Amino acid sequence: MLSCRANRTIQAIQIIKNEWMSRGVNAAEKEYKMIRAFVFIEAEPARTEELVQELAGMQLDSSVIKEVHAVTGRWDLIALIESPDITSLGD
């Protein structure tokens, strides 16, 4: 189960997606095959390594978590997510 911080991060992606859509980014994104986004995740320290294994390769609707790495600093994990378009990224 993801932390509250991860859920807020997903909500932030959805807000950014909506802003981009309102600015006409949807037409420009069709030139690219995949959109990549880096998502920073705060996790319980005891579960960091477990989440790295659990999240890597996870399918999220039409998006995929390609990589997950443990990091130091404010965030505990960084995930690389690939999606076919900006709309799918926010889902």
Side-chain angles (χ1 to χ4, degrees), residues 33-54:
K33 299 225 184 246
M34 294 297 278
I35 292 175
R36 292 182 178 169
F38 289 96
V39 177
F40 296 92
I41 302 168
E42 183 178 5
E44 296 173 25
R47 292 201 59 221
T48 301
E49 288 302 317
E50 176 186 343
L51 287 171
V52 167
Q53 299 299 320
E54 185 179 325

Side-chain angles (χ1 to χ4, degrees), residues 34-35 37 55-67 80-84 89:
M34 294 297 278
I35 292 175
L55 295 174
M58 182 182 283
Q59 184 80 24
L60 307 167
D61 292 329
S62 58
S63 300
V64 177
I65 300 176
K66 299 297 278 185
E67 298 177 26
L80 172 61
I81 301 175
E82 284 189 350
S83 184
L89 183 61

Side-chain angles (χ1 to χ4, degrees), residues 6-53:
N7 288 331
R8 285 194 300 264
T9 302
I10 291 169
Q11 290 172 346
I13 290 171
Q14 290 172 335
I15 291 168
I16 292 168
K17 174 198 73 168
N18 292 337
E19 285 182 30
W20 287 352
M21 295 287 286
S22 69
R23 294 180 185 177
V25 175
N26 194 30
E29 74 187 16
K30 293 179 182 176
E31 297 176 17
Y32 303 101
K33 299 225 184 246
M34 294 297 278
I35 292 175
R36 292 182 178 169
F38 289 96
V39 177
F40 296 92
I41 302 168
E42 183 178 5
E44 296 173 25
R47 292 201 59 221
T48 301
E49 288 302 317
E50 176 186 343
L51 287 171
V52 167
Q53 299 299 320

